[in-house]
Amino acid sequence: MTQRIITGVVAGGIFLALLILGGVYFQILVGLLVIIAMHELFKMYKLQLLSFEGILATLASLSLALPIGQHFLGLNIDGGMMLFTLFLFAMLTGMVFSNGKYSFEDVAFPFLSAFYVGIGFQNLLTARQSSIYIVFLALFIVWATDIGAYAVGRSLKTRFPQKLLPSVSPNKTVVGSLGGIVSAVVVALIMFFLYSKELPQIGFIKLILFTVIFSIVGQIGDLVESSIKRHFGVKDSGKLLPGHGGILDRFDNLIFVFPIMHLLGLF
């Protein structure tokens, strides 16, 4: 527990400091997070990140997450997607010169990994460029969901032992999930009253509805990553953060939440 707290304070402090600084400092951090997340996925799949598909998939993910096309190539706002497509085509071209050793199915994992990681961190950066308060809203909703789900699930597991999805995550309960949603709504309302001028003017009712959606989506993101880890037979996505696991273990909720926030027009 002590190691977990120390790691949380140090890693959280670095993340929040660079988040507040924003600009190129936060972009560099996001770039590093993308590379580490891709490494974690490839390690689970027992592929080297410095392999043919590993390099191309990581470049594809970085081109999707960061404004590389705009900064270095003078491309328009869609430049990241165009670069992503270019790297995908390069992976597909590998089939031509592999004498049948590299197939269409072999492209699927690196391509999907690049999109999964890239699109999540792209929307994190876009949210930060829009408003730091949007990022804090997402963080507080996710954190409140996690803490509320753990506290409520743990305290009421005897009276309400119904599991949420035991085949994916045996420790999660239905009552814990509901407790996480309620906790997220409470925290979001507090933030809304404290920073109503800085947050999008979406109204009281819509805020509650959106928070419920974000809390559920965040839990789905967590379950998706749990499903990936269970498929590959690993407990944590990585060991970078002692007591917390890997980068994907910490950002699995947010990878799902930020794109949905963008879809619903919060940034």
Side-chain angles (χ1 to χ4, degrees), residues 22-23 25-28 30-31 62 64-67 119-131 135 258 267:
Y25 301 103
F26 193 57
Q27 290 178 8
I28 291 172
V30 168
L62 286 169
L64 194 59
L66 301 175
I119 202 68
F121 283 102
Q122 178 199 72
N123 281 278
L124 167 58
L125 261 187
T126 305
R128 175 61 184 90
Q129 291 165 356
S130 174
S131 169
V135 180
F258 279 113
F267 60 90

mmCIF file with all atom_site columns, all heavy atoms in Angstrom, residues 22-23 25-28 30-31 62 64-67 119-131 135 258 267:
data_model
loop_
_atom_site.group_PDB
_atom_site.id
_atom_site.type_symbol
_atom_site.label_atom_id
_atom_site.label_alt_id
_atom_site.label_comp_id
_atom_site.label_asym_id
_atom_site.label_entity_id
_atom_site.label_seq_id
_atom_site.pdbx_PDB_ins_code
_atom_site.Cartn_x
_atom_site.Cartn_y
_atom_site.Cartn_z
_atom_site.occupancy
_atom_site.B_iso_or_equiv
_atom_site.pdbx_formal_charge
_atom_site.auth_seq_id
_atom_site.auth_comp_id
_atom_site.auth_asym_id
_atom_site.auth_atom_id
_atom_site.pdbx_PDB_model_num
ATOM 1   N N   . GLY A 1 22  ? 0.795   22.388 -20.112 1.00 0.00 ? 22  GLY A N   1
ATOM 2   C CA  . GLY A 1 22  ? 0.217   22.263 -21.434 1.00 0.00 ? 22  GLY A CA  1
ATOM 3   C C   . GLY A 1 22  ? 1.247   22.414 -22.538 1.00 0.00 ? 22  GLY A C   1
ATOM 4   O O   . GLY A 1 22  ? 2.448   22.239 -22.326 1.00 0.00 ? 22  GLY A O   1
ATOM 5   N N   . GLY A 1 23  ? 0.777   22.763 -23.743 1.00 0.00 ? 23  GLY A N   1
ATOM 6   C CA  . GLY A 1 23  ? 1.660   23.009 -24.873 1.00 0.00 ? 23  GLY A CA  1
ATOM 7   C C   . GLY A 1 23  ? 2.554   21.840 -25.209 1.00 0.00 ? 23  GLY A C   1
ATOM 8   O O   . GLY A 1 23  ? 2.168   20.669 -25.087 1.00 0.00 ? 23  GLY A O   1
ATOM 9   N N   . TYR A 1 25  ? 5.100   20.665 -23.695 1.00 0.00 ? 25  TYR A N   1
ATOM 10  C CA  . TYR A 1 25  ? 5.478   19.824 -22.553 1.00 0.00 ? 25  TYR A CA  1
ATOM 11  C C   . TYR A 1 25  ? 4.480   18.675 -22.394 1.00 0.00 ? 25  TYR A C   1
ATOM 12  O O   . TYR A 1 25  ? 4.865   17.517 -22.192 1.00 0.00 ? 25  TYR A O   1
ATOM 13  C CB  . TYR A 1 25  ? 5.524   20.655 -21.275 1.00 0.00 ? 25  TYR A CB  1
ATOM 14  C CG  . TYR A 1 25  ? 6.489   21.800 -21.332 1.00 0.00 ? 25  TYR A CG  1
ATOM 15  C CD1 . TYR A 1 25  ? 6.039   23.116 -21.518 1.00 0.00 ? 25  TYR A CD1 1
ATOM 16  C CD2 . TYR A 1 25  ? 7.858   21.582 -21.210 1.00 0.00 ? 25  TYR A CD2 1
ATOM 17  C CE1 . TYR A 1 25  ? 6.927   24.169 -21.586 1.00 0.00 ? 25  TYR A CE1 1
ATOM 18  C CE2 . TYR A 1 25  ? 8.758   22.633 -21.275 1.00 0.00 ? 25  TYR A CE2 1
ATOM 19  C CZ  . TYR A 1 25  ? 8.285   23.925 -21.469 1.00 0.00 ? 25  TYR A CZ  1
ATOM 20  O OH  . TYR A 1 25  ? 9.176   24.968 -21.538 1.00 0.00 ? 25  TYR A OH  1
ATOM 21  N N   . PHE A 1 26  ? 3.211   18.995 -22.479 1.00 0.00 ? 26  PHE A N   1
ATOM 22  C CA  . PHE A 1 26  ? 2.191   17.957 -22.345 1.00 0.00 ? 26  PHE A CA  1
ATOM 23  C C   . PHE A 1 26  ? 2.176   17.043 -23.561 1.00 0.00 ? 26  PHE A C   1
ATOM 24  O O   . PHE A 1 26  ? 1.934   15.854 -23.440 1.00 0.00 ? 26  PHE A O   1
ATOM 25  C CB  . PHE A 1 26  ? 0.814   18.589 -22.137 1.00 0.00 ? 26  PHE A CB  1
ATOM 26  C CG  . PHE A 1 26  ? -0.239  17.611 -21.691 1.00 0.00 ? 26  PHE A CG  1
ATOM 27  C CD1 . PHE A 1 26  ? -0.068  16.853 -20.544 1.00 0.00 ? 26  PHE A CD1 1
ATOM 28  C CD2 . PHE A 1 26  ? -1.402  17.440 -22.427 1.00 0.00 ? 26  PHE A CD2 1
ATOM 29  C CE1 . PHE A 1 26  ? -1.026  15.940 -20.134 1.00 0.00 ? 26  PHE A CE1 1
ATOM 30  C CE2 . PHE A 1 26  ? -2.371  16.533 -22.023 1.00 0.00 ? 26  PHE A CE2 1
ATOM 31  C CZ  . PHE A 1 26  ? -2.187  15.783 -20.876 1.00 0.00 ? 26  PHE A CZ  1
ATOM 32  N N   . GLN A 1 27  ? 2.465   17.594 -24.736 1.00 0.00 ? 27  GLN A N   1
ATOM 33  C CA  . GLN A 1 27  ? 2.538   16.778 -25.945 1.00 0.00 ? 27  GLN A CA  1
ATOM 34  C C   . GLN A 1 27  ? 3.663   15.751 -25.857 1.00 0.00 ? 27  GLN A C   1
ATOM 35  O O   . GLN A 1 27  ? 3.500   14.602 -26.286 1.00 0.00 ? 27  GLN A O   1
ATOM 36  C CB  . GLN A 1 27  ? 2.728   17.666 -27.172 1.00 0.00 ? 27  GLN A CB  1
ATOM 37  C CG  . GLN A 1 27  ? 1.496   18.488 -27.521 1.00 0.00 ? 27  GLN A CG  1
ATOM 38  C CD  . GLN A 1 27  ? 1.731   19.389 -28.719 1.00 0.00 ? 27  GLN A CD  1
ATOM 39  O OE1 . GLN A 1 27  ? 2.757   19.300 -29.395 1.00 0.00 ? 27  GLN A OE1 1
ATOM 40  N NE2 . GLN A 1 27  ? 0.786   20.276 -28.994 1.00 0.00 ? 27  GLN A NE2 1
ATOM 41  N N   . ILE A 1 28  ? 4.799   16.165 -25.307 1.00 0.00 ? 28  ILE A N   1
ATOM 42  C CA  . ILE A 1 28  ? 5.917   15.221 -25.124 1.00 0.00 ? 28  ILE A CA  1
ATOM 43  C C   . ILE A 1 28  ? 5.505   14.098 -24.173 1.00 0.00 ? 28  ILE A C   1
ATOM 44  O O   . ILE A 1 28  ? 5.789   12.914 -24.420 1.00 0.00 ? 28  ILE A O   1
ATOM 45  C CB  . ILE A 1 28  ? 7.169   15.956 -24.596 1.00 0.00 ? 28  ILE A CB  1
ATOM 46  C CG1 . ILE A 1 28  ? 7.732   16.881 -25.678 1.00 0.00 ? 28  ILE A CG1 1
ATOM 47  C CG2 . ILE A 1 28  ? 8.229   14.951 -24.139 1.00 0.00 ? 28  ILE A CG2 1
ATOM 48  C CD1 . ILE A 1 28  ? 8.837   17.795 -25.191 1.00 0.00 ? 28  ILE A CD1 1
ATOM 49  N N   . VAL A 1 30  ? 2.456   13.007 -23.578 1.00 0.00 ? 30  VAL A N   1
ATOM 50  C CA  . VAL A 1 30  ? 1.491   12.152 -24.275 1.00 0.00 ? 30  VAL A CA  1
ATOM 51  C C   . VAL A 1 30  ? 2.210   11.228 -25.254 1.00 0.00 ? 30  VAL A C   1
ATOM 52  O O   . VAL A 1 30  ? 1.885   10.044 -25.364 1.00 0.00 ? 30  VAL A O   1
ATOM 53  C CB  . VAL A 1 30  ? 0.425   13.008 -24.996 1.00 0.00 ? 30  VAL A CB  1
ATOM 54  C CG1 . VAL A 1 30  ? -0.398  12.149 -25.966 1.00 0.00 ? 30  VAL A CG1 1
ATOM 55  C CG2 . VAL A 1 30  ? -0.494  13.670 -23.982 1.00 0.00 ? 30  VAL A CG2 1
ATOM 56  N N   . GLY A 1 31  ? 3.216   11.751 -25.968 1.00 0.00 ? 31  GLY A N   1
ATOM 57  C CA  . GLY A 1 31  ? 3.997   10.926 -26.880 1.00 0.00 ? 31  GLY A CA  1
ATOM 58  C C   . GLY A 1 31  ? 4.657   9.762  -26.163 1.00 0.00 ? 31  GLY A C   1
ATOM 59  O O   . GLY A 1 31  ? 4.642   8.620  -26.646 1.00 0.00 ? 31  GLY A O   1
ATOM 60  N N   . LEU A 1 62  ? 1.339   7.363  -32.844 1.00 0.00 ? 62  LEU A N   1
ATOM 61  C CA  . LEU A 1 62  ? 1.856   8.708  -32.555 1.00 0.00 ? 62  LEU A CA  1
ATOM 62  C C   . LEU A 1 62  ? 1.303   9.744  -33.535 1.00 0.00 ? 62  LEU A C   1
ATOM 63  O O   . LEU A 1 62  ? 0.964   10.865 -33.147 1.00 0.00 ? 62  LEU A O   1
ATOM 64  C CB  . LEU A 1 62  ? 3.383   8.706  -32.609 1.00 0.00 ? 62  LEU A CB  1
ATOM 65  C CG  . LEU A 1 62  ? 4.109   8.053  -31.433 1.00 0.00 ? 62  LEU A CG  1
ATOM 66  C CD1 . LEU A 1 62  ? 5.591   7.893  -31.753 1.00 0.00 ? 62  LEU A CD1 1
ATOM 67  C CD2 . LEU A 1 62  ? 3.928   8.871  -30.155 1.00 0.00 ? 62  LEU A CD2 1
ATOM 68  N N   . LEU A 1 64  ? -1.499  9.662  -34.982 1.00 0.00 ? 64  LEU A N   1
ATOM 69  C CA  . LEU A 1 64  ? -2.905  9.890  -34.667 1.00 0.00 ? 64  LEU A CA  1
ATOM 70  C C   . LEU A 1 64  ? -3.065  10.719 -33.399 1.00 0.00 ? 64  LEU A C   1
ATOM 71  O O   . LEU A 1 64  ? -3.945  11.579 -33.321 1.00 0.00 ? 64  LEU A O   1
ATOM 72  C CB  . LEU A 1 64  ? -3.611  8.539  -34.501 1.00 0.00 ? 64  LEU A CB  1
ATOM 73  C CG  . LEU A 1 64  ? -5.139  8.532  -34.494 1.00 0.00 ? 64  LEU A CG  1
ATOM 74  C CD1 . LEU A 1 64  ? -5.689  9.104  -35.789 1.00 0.00 ? 64  LEU A CD1 1
ATOM 75  C CD2 . LEU A 1 64  ? -5.651  7.116  -34.273 1.00 0.00 ? 64  LEU A CD2 1
ATOM 76  N N   . ALA A 1 65  ? -2.196  10.469 -32.412 1.00 0.00 ? 65  ALA A N   1
ATOM 77  C CA  . ALA A 1 65  ? -2.327  11.138 -31.117 1.00 0.00 ? 65  ALA A CA  1
ATOM 78  C C   . ALA A 1 65  ? -1.773  12.559 -31.111 1.00 0.00 ? 65  ALA A C   1
ATOM 79  O O   . ALA A 1 65  ? -2.327  13.443 -30.443 1.00 0.00 ? 65  ALA A O   1
ATOM 80  C CB  . ALA A 1 65  ? -1.616  10.316 -30.042 1.00 0.00 ? 65  ALA A CB  1
ATOM 81  N N   . LEU A 1 66  ? -0.690  12.790 -31.845 1.00 0.00 ? 66  LEU A N   1
ATOM 82  C CA  . LEU A 1 66  ? 0.010   14.074 -31.796 1.00 0.00 ? 66  LEU A CA  1
ATOM 83  C C   . LEU A 1 66  ? -0.167  14.851 -33.108 1.00 0.00 ? 66  LEU A C   1
ATOM 84  O O   . LEU A 1 66  ? -0.349  14.239 -34.165 1.00 0.00 ? 66  LEU A O   1
ATOM 85  C CB  . LEU A 1 66  ? 1.496   13.853 -31.529 1.00 0.00 ? 66  LEU A CB  1
ATOM 86  C CG  . LEU A 1 66  ? 1.869   13.115 -30.240 1.00 0.00 ? 66  LEU A CG  1
ATOM 87  C CD1 . LEU A 1 66  ? 3.370   12.867 -30.201 1.00 0.00 ? 66  LEU A CD1 1
ATOM 88  C CD2 . LEU A 1 66  ? 1.421   13.897 -29.014 1.00 0.00 ? 66  LEU A CD2 1
ATOM 89  N N   . PRO A 1 67  ? -0.079  16.156 -33.063 1.00 0.00 ? 67  PRO A N   1
ATOM 90  C CA  . PRO A 1 67  ? -0.194  16.967 -34.291 1.00 0.00 ? 67  PRO A CA  1
ATOM 91  C C   . PRO A 1 67  ? 1.100   16.969 -35.095 1.00 0.00 ? 67  PRO A C   1
ATOM 92  O O   . PRO A 1 67  ? 1.621   18.027 -35.479 1.00 0.00 ? 67  PRO A O   1
ATOM 93  C CB  . PRO A 1 67  ? -0.535  18.359 -33.747 1.00 0.00 ? 67  PRO A CB  1
ATOM 94  C CG  . PRO A 1 67  ? 0.111   18.410 -32.408 1.00 0.00 ? 67  PRO A CG  1
ATOM 95  C CD  . PRO A 1 67  ? -0.003  17.006 -31.850 1.00 0.00 ? 67  PRO A CD  1
ATOM 96  N N   . ILE A 1 119 ? -6.282  7.048  -30.702 1.00 0.00 ? 119 ILE A N   1
ATOM 97  C CA  . ILE A 1 119 ? -7.503  7.850  -30.667 1.00 0.00 ? 119 ILE A CA  1
ATOM 98  C C   . ILE A 1 119 ? -7.818  8.320  -29.258 1.00 0.00 ? 119 ILE A C   1
ATOM 99  O O   . ILE A 1 119 ? -8.337  9.427  -29.052 1.00 0.00 ? 119 ILE A O   1
ATOM 100 C CB  . ILE A 1 119 ? -8.695  7.068  -31.263 1.00 0.00 ? 119 ILE A CB  1
ATOM 101 C CG1 . ILE A 1 119 ? -9.795  8.036  -31.731 1.00 0.00 ? 119 ILE A CG1 1
ATOM 102 C CG2 . ILE A 1 119 ? -9.237  6.056  -30.285 1.00 0.00 ? 119 ILE A CG2 1
ATOM 103 C CD1 . ILE A 1 119 ? -9.421  8.879  -32.916 1.00 0.00 ? 119 ILE A CD1 1
ATOM 104 N N   . GLY A 1 120 ? -7.497  7.492  -28.254 1.00 0.00 ? 120 GLY A N   1
ATOM 105 C CA  . GLY A 1 120 ? -7.738  7.898  -26.872 1.00 0.00 ? 120 GLY A CA  1
ATOM 106 C C   . GLY A 1 120 ? -6.873  9.066  -26.463 1.00 0.00 ? 120 GLY A C   1
ATOM 107 O O   . GLY A 1 120 ? -7.361  10.067 -25.913 1.00 0.00 ? 120 GLY A O   1
ATOM 108 N N   . PHE A 1 121 ? -5.562  8.987  -26.749 1.00 0.00 ? 121 PHE A N   1
ATOM 109 C CA  . PHE A 1 121 ? -4.650  10.060 -26.359 1.00 0.00 ? 121 PHE A CA  1
ATOM 110 C C   . PHE A 1 121 ? -4.808  11.285 -27.254 1.00 0.00 ? 121 PHE A C   1
ATOM 111 O O   . PHE A 1 121 ? -4.527  12.410 -26.829 1.00 0.00 ? 121 PHE A O   1
ATOM 112 C CB  . PHE A 1 121 ? -3.209  9.557  -26.349 1.00 0.00 ? 121 PHE A CB  1
ATOM 113 C CG  . PHE A 1 121 ? -2.884  8.720  -25.144 1.00 0.00 ? 121 PHE A CG  1
ATOM 114 C CD1 . PHE A 1 121 ? -2.824  7.334  -25.220 1.00 0.00 ? 121 PHE A CD1 1
ATOM 115 C CD2 . PHE A 1 121 ? -2.673  9.323  -23.920 1.00 0.00 ? 121 PHE A CD2 1
ATOM 116 C CE1 . PHE A 1 121 ? -2.544  6.563  -24.107 1.00 0.00 ? 121 PHE A CE1 1
ATOM 117 C CE2 . PHE A 1 121 ? -2.387  8.575  -22.788 1.00 0.00 ? 121 PHE A CE2 1
ATOM 118 C CZ  . PHE A 1 121 ? -2.329  7.187  -22.882 1.00 0.00 ? 121 PHE A CZ  1
ATOM 119 N N   . GLN A 1 122 ? -5.264  11.087 -28.489 1.00 0.00 ? 122 GLN A N   1
ATOM 120 C CA  . GLN A 1 122 ? -5.565  12.241 -29.344 1.00 0.00 ? 122 GLN A CA  1
ATOM 121 C C   . GLN A 1 122 ? -6.648  13.104 -28.707 1.00 0.00 ? 122 GLN A C   1
ATOM 122 O O   . GLN A 1 122 ? -6.544  14.338 -28.655 1.00 0.00 ? 122 GLN A O   1
ATOM 123 C CB  . GLN A 1 122 ? -6.047  11.764 -30.713 1.00 0.00 ? 122 GLN A CB  1
ATOM 124 C CG  . GLN A 1 122 ? -6.426  12.897 -31.661 1.00 0.00 ? 122 GLN A CG  1
ATOM 125 C CD  . GLN A 1 122 ? -7.306  12.424 -32.806 1.00 0.00 ? 122 GLN A CD  1
ATOM 126 O OE1 . GLN A 1 122 ? -8.484  12.116 -32.608 1.00 0.00 ? 122 GLN A OE1 1
ATOM 127 N NE2 . GLN A 1 122 ? -6.733  12.329 -33.999 1.00 0.00 ? 122 GLN A NE2 1
ATOM 128 N N   . ASN A 1 123 ? -7.691  12.467 -28.189 1.00 0.00 ? 123 ASN A N   1
ATOM 129 C CA  . ASN A 1 123 ? -8.783  13.215 -27.581 1.00 0.00 ? 123 ASN A CA  1
ATOM 130 C C   . ASN A 1 123 ? -8.405  13.807 -26.228 1.00 0.00 ? 123 ASN A C   1
ATOM 131 O O   . ASN A 1 123 ? -8.952  14.842 -25.835 1.00 0.00 ? 123 ASN A O   1
ATOM 132 C CB  . ASN A 1 123 ? -10.014 12.313 -27.458 1.00 0.00 ? 123 ASN A CB  1
ATOM 133 C CG  . ASN A 1 123 ? -10.749 12.178 -28.770 1.00 0.00 ? 123 ASN A CG  1
ATOM 134 O OD1 . ASN A 1 123 ? -11.549 13.030 -29.140 1.00 0.00 ? 123 ASN A OD1 1
ATOM 135 N ND2 . ASN A 1 123 ? -10.464 11.118 -29.504 1.00 0.00 ? 123 ASN A ND2 1
ATOM 136 N N   . LEU A 1 124 ? -7.464  13.185 -25.533 1.00 0.00 ? 124 LEU A N   1
ATOM 137 C CA  . LEU A 1 124 ? -6.922  13.798 -24.317 1.00 0.00 ? 124 LEU A CA  1
ATOM 138 C C   . LEU A 1 124 ? -6.238  15.116 -24.659 1.00 0.00 ? 124 LEU A C   1
ATOM 139 O O   . LEU A 1 124 ? -6.459  16.137 -23.999 1.00 0.00 ? 124 LEU A O   1
ATOM 140 C CB  . LEU A 1 124 ? -5.937  12.836 -23.641 1.00 0.00 ? 124 LEU A CB  1
ATOM 141 C CG  . LEU A 1 124 ? -5.044  13.429 -22.536 1.00 0.00 ? 124 LEU A CG  1
ATOM 142 C CD1 . LEU A 1 124 ? -5.873  14.034 -21.412 1.00 0.00 ? 124 LEU A CD1 1
ATOM 143 C CD2 . LEU A 1 124 ? -4.089  12.365 -21.997 1.00 0.00 ? 124 LEU A CD2 1
ATOM 144 N N   . LEU A 1 125 ? -5.403  15.107 -25.698 1.00 0.00 ? 125 LEU A N   1
ATOM 145 C CA  . LEU A 1 125 ? -4.723  16.334 -26.119 1.00 0.00 ? 125 LEU A CA  1
ATOM 146 C C   . LEU A 1 125 ? -5.715  17.380 -26.606 1.00 0.00 ? 125 LEU A C   1
ATOM 147 O O   . LEU A 1 125 ? -5.584  18.567 -26.287 1.00 0.00 ? 125 LEU A O   1
ATOM 148 C CB  . LEU A 1 125 ? -3.723  16.021 -27.234 1.00 0.00 ? 125 LEU A CB  1
ATOM 149 C CG  . LEU A 1 125 ? -2.261  15.856 -26.864 1.00 0.00 ? 125 LEU A CG  1
ATOM 150 C CD1 . LEU A 1 125 ? -1.404  15.719 -28.119 1.00 0.00 ? 125 LEU A CD1 1
ATOM 151 C CD2 . LEU A 1 125 ? -1.760  17.021 -26.024 1.00 0.00 ? 125 LEU A CD2 1
ATOM 152 N N   . THR A 1 126 ? -6.700  16.963 -27.381 1.00 0.00 ? 126 THR A N   1
ATOM 153 C CA  . THR A 1 126 ? -7.698  17.899 -27.887 1.00 0.00 ? 126 THR A CA  1
ATOM 154 C C   . THR A 1 126 ? -8.481  18.531 -26.745 1.00 0.00 ? 126 THR A C   1
ATOM 155 O O   . THR A 1 126 ? -8.774  19.730 -26.764 1.00 0.00 ? 126 THR A O   1
ATOM 156 C CB  . THR A 1 126 ? -8.667  17.178 -28.848 1.00 0.00 ? 126 THR A CB  1
ATOM 157 O OG1 . THR A 1 126 ? -7.926  16.540 -29.878 1.00 0.00 ? 126 THR A OG1 1
ATOM 158 C CG2 . THR A 1 126 ? -9.638  18.163 -29.482 1.00 0.00 ? 126 THR A CG2 1
ATOM 159 N N   . ALA A 1 127 ? -8.809  17.731 -25.740 1.00 0.00 ? 127 ALA A N   1
ATOM 160 C CA  . ALA A 1 127 ? -9.516  18.262 -24.571 1.00 0.00 ? 127 ALA A CA  1
ATOM 161 C C   . ALA A 1 127 ? -8.655  19.290 -23.838 1.00 0.00 ? 127 ALA A C   1
ATOM 162 O O   . ALA A 1 127 ? -9.158  20.348 -23.421 1.00 0.00 ? 127 ALA A O   1
ATOM 163 C CB  . ALA A 1 127 ? -9.891  17.122 -23.632 1.00 0.00 ? 127 ALA A CB  1
ATOM 164 N N   . ARG A 1 128 ? -7.361  18.996 -23.696 1.00 0.00 ? 128 ARG A N   1
ATOM 165 C CA  . ARG A 1 128 ? -6.468  19.948 -23.011 1.00 0.00 ? 128 ARG A CA  1
ATOM 166 C C   . ARG A 1 128 ? -6.352  21.250 -23.787 1.00 0.00 ? 128 ARG A C   1
ATOM 167 O O   . ARG A 1 128 ? -6.308  22.336 -23.200 1.00 0.00 ? 128 ARG A O   1
ATOM 168 C CB  . ARG A 1 128 ? -5.075  19.316 -22.828 1.00 0.00 ? 128 ARG A CB  1
ATOM 169 C CG  . ARG A 1 128 ? -4.036  20.278 -22.224 1.00 0.00 ? 128 ARG A CG  1
ATOM 170 C CD  . ARG A 1 128 ? -4.458  20.743 -20.857 1.00 0.00 ? 128 ARG A CD  1
ATOM 171 N NE  . ARG A 1 128 ? -3.554  21.736 -20.289 1.00 0.00 ? 128 ARG A NE  1
ATOM 172 C CZ  . ARG A 1 128 ? -3.694  23.050 -20.450 1.00 0.00 ? 128 ARG A CZ  1
ATOM 173 N NH1 . ARG A 1 128 ? -4.684  23.539 -21.181 1.00 0.00 ? 128 ARG A NH1 1
ATOM 174 N NH2 . ARG A 1 128 ? -2.836  23.880 -19.880 1.00 0.00 ? 128 ARG A NH2 1
ATOM 175 N N   . GLN A 1 129 ? -6.309  21.162 -25.109 1.00 0.00 ? 129 GLN A N   1
ATOM 176 C CA  . GLN A 1 129 ? -6.226  22.361 -25.931 1.00 0.00 ? 129 GLN A CA  1
ATOM 177 C C   . GLN A 1 129 ? -7.505  23.188 -25.846 1.00 0.00 ? 129 GLN A C   1
ATOM 178 O O   . GLN A 1 129 ? -7.481  24.411 -25.981 1.00 0.00 ? 129 GLN A O   1
ATOM 179 C CB  . GLN A 1 129 ? -5.943  21.978 -27.387 1.00 0.00 ? 129 GLN A CB  1
ATOM 180 C CG  . GLN A 1 129 ? -4.541  21.421 -27.602 1.00 0.00 ? 129 GLN A CG  1
ATOM 181 C CD  . GLN A 1 129 ? -4.382  20.719 -28.941 1.00 0.00 ? 129 GLN A CD  1
ATOM 182 O OE1 . GLN A 1 129 ? -5.336  20.575 -29.703 1.00 0.00 ? 129 GLN A OE1 1
ATOM 183 N NE2 . GLN A 1 129 ? -3.168  20.261 -29.237 1.00 0.00 ? 129 GLN A NE2 1
ATOM 184 N N   . SER A 1 130 ? -8.613  22.509 -25.597 1.00 0.00 ? 130 SER A N   1
ATOM 185 C CA  . SER A 1 130 ? -9.890  23.202 -25.467 1.00 0.00 ? 130 SER A CA  1
ATOM 186 C C   . SER A 1 130 ? -10.025 23.874 -24.103 1.00 0.00 ? 130 SER A C   1
ATOM 187 O O   . SER A 1 130 ? -10.314 25.063 -24.010 1.00 0.00 ? 130 SER A O   1
ATOM 188 C CB  . SER A 1 130 ? -11.041 22.211 -25.676 1.00 0.00 ? 130 SER A CB  1
ATOM 189 O OG  . SER A 1 130 ? -12.286 22.805 -25.420 1.00 0.00 ? 130 SER A OG  1
ATOM 190 N N   . SER A 1 131 ? -9.809  23.101 -23.046 1.00 0.00 ? 131 SER A N   1
ATOM 191 C CA  . SER A 1 131 ? -9.930  23.632 -21.682 1.00 0.00 ? 131 SER A CA  1
ATOM 192 C C   . SER A 1 131 ? -9.380  22.633 -20.692 1.00 0.00 ? 131 SER A C   1
ATOM 193 O O   . SER A 1 131 ? -9.750  21.452 -20.729 1.00 0.00 ? 131 SER A O   1
ATOM 194 C CB  . SER A 1 131 ? -11.400 23.937 -21.349 1.00 0.00 ? 131 SER A CB  1
ATOM 195 O OG  . SER A 1 131 ? -11.561 24.196 -19.972 1.00 0.00 ? 131 SER A OG  1
ATOM 196 N N   . VAL A 1 135 ? -10.541 18.458 -18.936 1.00 0.00 ? 135 VAL A N   1
ATOM 197 C CA  . VAL A 1 135 ? -9.676  17.327 -18.571 1.00 0.00 ? 135 VAL A CA  1
ATOM 198 C C   . VAL A 1 135 ? -9.881  16.975 -17.103 1.00 0.00 ? 135 VAL A C   1
ATOM 199 O O   . VAL A 1 135 ? -10.016 15.793 -16.751 1.00 0.00 ? 135 VAL A O   1
ATOM 200 C CB  . VAL A 1 135 ? -8.193  17.653 -18.832 1.00 0.00 ? 135 VAL A CB  1
ATOM 201 C CG1 . VAL A 1 135 ? -7.313  16.470 -18.438 1.00 0.00 ? 135 VAL A CG1 1
ATOM 202 C CG2 . VAL A 1 135 ? -7.969  17.994 -20.297 1.00 0.00 ? 135 VAL A CG2 1
ATOM 203 N N   . PHE A 1 258 ? -12.695 10.155 -23.131 1.00 0.00 ? 258 PHE A N   1
ATOM 204 C CA  . PHE A 1 258 ? -12.438 11.388 -23.884 1.00 0.00 ? 258 PHE A CA  1
ATOM 205 C C   . PHE A 1 258 ? -13.080 11.393 -25.280 1.00 0.00 ? 258 PHE A C   1
ATOM 206 O O   . PHE A 1 258 ? -13.667 12.404 -25.679 1.00 0.00 ? 258 PHE A O   1
ATOM 207 C CB  . PHE A 1 258 ? -10.940 11.670 -23.970 1.00 0.00 ? 258 PHE A CB  1
ATOM 208 C CG  . PHE A 1 258 ? -10.388 12.316 -22.732 1.00 0.00 ? 258 PHE A CG  1
ATOM 209 C CD1 . PHE A 1 258 ? -9.490  11.651 -21.920 1.00 0.00 ? 258 PHE A CD1 1
ATOM 210 C CD2 . PHE A 1 258 ? -10.781 13.598 -22.374 1.00 0.00 ? 258 PHE A CD2 1
ATOM 211 C CE1 . PHE A 1 258 ? -8.993  12.245 -20.772 1.00 0.00 ? 258 PHE A CE1 1
ATOM 212 C CE2 . PHE A 1 258 ? -10.289 14.207 -21.229 1.00 0.00 ? 258 PHE A CE2 1
ATOM 213 C CZ  . PHE A 1 258 ? -9.397  13.532 -20.424 1.00 0.00 ? 258 PHE A CZ  1
ATOM 214 N N   . PHE A 1 267 ? -15.998 19.325 -26.033 1.00 0.00 ? 267 PHE A N   1
ATOM 215 C CA  . PHE A 1 267 ? -14.824 20.045 -26.524 1.00 0.00 ? 267 PHE A CA  1
ATOM 216 C C   . PHE A 1 267 ? -14.687 19.803 -28.014 1.00 0.00 ? 267 PHE A C   1
ATOM 217 O O   . PHE A 1 267 ? -15.396 18.979 -28.592 1.00 0.00 ? 267 PHE A O   1
ATOM 218 C CB  . PHE A 1 267 ? -13.549 19.639 -25.781 1.00 0.00 ? 267 PHE A CB  1
ATOM 219 C CG  . PHE A 1 267 ? -13.177 18.191 -25.883 1.00 0.00 ? 267 PHE A CG  1
ATOM 220 C CD1 . PHE A 1 267 ? -12.363 17.723 -26.910 1.00 0.00 ? 267 PHE A CD1 1
ATOM 221 C CD2 . PHE A 1 267 ? -13.636 17.261 -24.943 1.00 0.00 ? 267 PHE A CD2 1
ATOM 222 C CE1 . PHE A 1 267 ? -11.997 16.395 -27.006 1.00 0.00 ? 267 PHE A CE1 1
ATOM 223 C CE2 . PHE A 1 267 ? -13.274 15.921 -25.031 1.00 0.00 ? 267 PHE A CE2 1
ATOM 224 C CZ  . PHE A 1 267 ? -12.463 15.500 -26.056 1.00 0.00 ? 267 PHE A CZ  1
#
